[in-house]
Amino acid sequence: MKYILAKSVEEALIGLYQAGGTGAIMGGGTDLTIDLESGKHKADTLVDVTGVPELKEIRLEGDTLVIGAAATLTEITHNPLVKKHCPSLTLGTGCVGSLQIRNSATLAGNVMSAQPAADGAMALAPYDPEFVICSLGGERRCKMGEMYAGFARSAIDPSKEMVKEIRIPILKENEAGSYIRLELRKSLSLPMLNVAAVARVVDGKVEWARITMGPVGVGPVHAVDAEAYLVGKELTAEVMTEAGKLAMNNAKPRSNPLRGSKEYREATLPILVRRALESIADQLGIKY
Amino acid sequence: MLLCTTINGEYMEVEVNPDLRLVDFLRDQLGLTGTKIGCRRGECGACTVIFNGKAVTSCLIPVMRAHGAVIETIEGLMGENEKLHPLQEEFINRGAIQCGFCTPGMIMSAKALLDENPDPSVDEVREALGGNICRCTGYKKIQEAVLGAAERIRKGE
Ligand code: FES
Ligand code: FES
């Protein structure tokens, strides 16, 4: 195998191009290493981008928080800009795997692995981020939903292109975000269920709300019925409970031998959605 | 490929097979078998080493990523005249070791924590060790050993 320690995005893209479809971009590598050994993923050339300075950056561009694809989950979790502008994101990035995993793994990789309840990806989803994807042919931008091709399947082909950065609209006044995880244990375990939300509430009325949940489908799934229901409503106890119930319209949880039966997940998901909204209400000083 | 790296304070230039993972290079090529392999999937922490100051599971690190890096393994902990590190001593003194298989990984996770934060709270210790699994001790004594070592390190030992 050929191993390229890229020093720039351009060098990485050239390496990938020269591999002619048999290469793969390697970020933290905490999933890819396992998939390469098991044969689930094949590559003759690995292009390691963890040493590319511009991909490590976390910066603010106007109202957008930009997170480089090679920033580790630990770096994101402790970054003051992320804590200030997208605090609920750090609740997700801070509980992926274990500290050792977070010291290597990246948020871009958490999305690329496409696990439906990935903590980092879930906490990110309701911020409505954009992904900058690049290849030698140029750059394009993808929305969160366009990143997923199926269960544990990314729509981005790592042998042809790479994620360069994640662009996240920061929270403004009257906006708040939350992340809730139903867990068996804190470390080294995907959650039984997780829910993330971001909402804008002006003069007591919800202007918009985005709620995502997993594992109930492909990638983070929007609770679109609940989102539509919330518009124009006040965040009262009844409204938040009802939104939790409506979230079930878009959720198809399955039974998992380790992380809860379908029935258990169906019974608990509405409560998690309610709690995610309650957290937003609390942060915005709304009494319910 | 040529790998230039620093392991336990020693700079080296060695030819390696880039297919290897860091843990295999440490154990098989350098004979540093203190770093253990429990799962090869990042789920047990037995292979934890300190990589540029951060605890990582060396079973998930491609060996070439060590190029230019500074790595510490359990073998690098002993001081002059074979003096054990306070973490090693406290693990022994407080019965935080039974079979010992998880111990090198536990100690490296704990060392990475104490290097950054010599006065950790119980929760911080638990977070730092959350990725290290022990099937013997029940964790309580490990937690006590780390806090005990932290106190000694703060006193300048
Ligand atoms: S062997 Fe690396 S985490 Fe288990
Ligand atoms: S002492 Fe035996 S696994 Fe921890």
Side-chain angles (χ1 to χ4, degrees):
Chain A
M1 192 200 303
K2 192 171 164 201
Y3 201 90
I4 300 172
L5 286 157
K7 285 276 159 284
S8 67
V9 171
E10 195 186 5
E11 195 186 330
L13 292 174
I14 290 171
L16 203 59
Y17 178 77
Q18 286 174 343
T22 66
I25 291 288
M26 164 93 81
T30 52
D31 287 318
L32 186 55
T33 336
I34 298 172
D35 290 348
L36 286 169
E37 191 160 287
S38 71
K40 197 173 142 200
H41 195 108
K42 294 205 171 21
D44 295 338
T45 302
L46 288 179
V47 183
D48 188 322
V49 295
T50 56
V52 178
E54 76 175 282
L55 296 182
K56 303 285 292 176
E57 277 180 22
I58 300 175
R59 62 179 189 275
L60 208 55
E61 280 180 15
D63 287 345
T64 307
L65 178 71
V66 183
I67 297 183
T72 66
L73 292 166
T74 297
E75 287 160 356
I76 295 168
T77 305
H78 296 294
N79 183 283
L81 288 174
V82 185
K83 282 196 206 166
K84 179 165 177 217
H85 296 292
C86 303
S88 65
L89 175 59
T90 66
L91 301 179
T93 54
C95 62
V96 174
S98 64
L99 185 61
Q100 291 100 312
I101 301 285
R102 296 193 290 278
N103 284 341
S104 299
T106 64
L107 183 56
N110 204 235
V111 174
M112 289 287 288
S113 301
Q115 288 292 334
D119 292 289
M122 184 61 67
L124 172 68
Y127 281 91
D128 194 24
E130 260 188 347
F131 294 79
V132 178
I133 315 288
C134 57
S135 65
L136 275 190
E139 279 186 9
R140 65 192 178 98
R141 294 193 178 196
C142 279
K143 288 292 204 179
M144 192 89 192
E146 296 166 322
M147 296 296 288
Y148 294 84
F151 174 79
R153 246 176 351 108
S154 173
I156 308 301
D157 179 349
S159 73
K160 299 206 170 65
E161 42 187 11
M162 63 184 273
V163 180
K164 190 171 113 188
E165 62 196 25
I166 307 173
R167 304 180 63 85
I168 312 169
I170 61 172
L171 293 180
K172 305 197 183 58
E173 214 189 325
N174 301 319
E175 297 175 10
S178 60
Y179 177 67
I180 309 269
R181 180 183 210 262
L182 183 65
E183 60 197 4
L184 280 169
R185 57 175 198 208
K186 301 224 173 298
S187 282
L188 293 168
S189 170
L190 283 164
M192 301 164 88
L193 284 171
N194 55 0
V195 172
V198 173
R200 175 173 181 79
V201 184
V202 179
D203 297 330
K205 298 236 163 62
V206 175
E207 219 163 78
W208 50 259
R210 291 190 287 260
I211 304 169
T212 55
M213 47 198 182
V216 297
V218 170
V221 172
H222 274 271
V224 286
D225 287 4
E227 291 173 352
Y229 164 77
L230 285 167
V231 174
K233 301 261 183 343
E234 289 179 22
L235 287 180
T236 62
E238 297 75 46
V239 164
M240 292 188 281
T241 304
E242 181 61 19
K245 286 187 195 146
L246 286 171
M248 287 308 298
N249 293 352
N250 307 104
K252 290 190 188 58
R254 290 199 228 163
S255 288
N256 179 294
L258 296 177
R259 290 186 286 276
S261 66
K262 174 175 180 287
E263 292 76 13
Y264 180 70
R265 285 168 157 176
E266 282 172 354
T268 43
L269 186 61
I271 299 166
L272 297 194
V273 170
R274 190 194 77 211
R275 287 185 189 165
L277 294 171
E278 285 172 354
S279 164
I280 288 177
D282 289 340
Q283 293 173 62
L284 295 175
I286 297 166
K287 300 264 174 293
Y288 50 89
Chain B
M1 284 177 87
L2 184 68
L3 171 70
C4 306
T5 187
T6 303
I7 297 182
N8 297 330
E10 189 187 332
Y11 175 75
M12 56 183 81
E13 296 185 359
V14 269
E15 270 305 318
V16 296
N17 171 356
D19 291 3
L20 289 182
R21 303 193 195 183
L22 180 57
V23 69
D24 299 318
F25 166 71
L26 292 172
R27 288 176 55 87
D28 301 340
Q29 201 162 334
L30 300 185
L32 297 174
T33 53
T35 303
K36 302 301 178 200
I37 299 175
C39 66
R40 296 181 74 80
R41 300 179 57 84
E43 289 176 0
C44 74
C47 65
T48 303
V49 301
I50 304 181
F51 188 102
N52 291 337
K54 297 276 179 203
V56 297
T57 41
S58 60
C59 68
L60 299 183
I61 306 281
V63 65
M64 283 312 294
R65 191 172 293 163
H67 195 72
V70 175
I71 294 166
E72 291 171 69
T73 73
I74 188 75
E75 286 86 352
L77 245 64
M78 208 152 55
E80 274 166 33
N81 304 324
E82 305 205 337
K83 169 119 183 64
L84 293 180
H85 188 277
L87 272 165
Q88 293 172 304
E89 284 187 349
E90 287 308 310
F91 266 65
I92 297 169
N93 294 344
R94 295 175 191 247
I97 303 179
Q98 287 189 26
C99 81
F101 192 82
C102 70
T103 311
M106 286 282 181
I107 290 186
M108 296 319 283
S109 284
K111 179 164 190 294
L113 170 71
L114 299 187
D115 285 351
E116 254 181 37
N117 173 9
D119 194 7
S121 65
V122 170
D123 281 348
E124 285 166 333
V125 171
R126 294 172 80 109
E127 192 204 358
L129 298 182
N132 293 78
I133 289 179
C134 174
R135 62 177 189 176
C136 308
T137 64
Y139 302 102
K140 186 100 176 76
K141 289 180 186 301
I142 294 176
Q143 182 180 305
E144 286 165 8
V146 176
L147 290 167
E151 200 179 320
R152 284 179 54 184
I153 290 169
R154 289 200 302 277
K155 284 189 193 142
E157 277 186 53

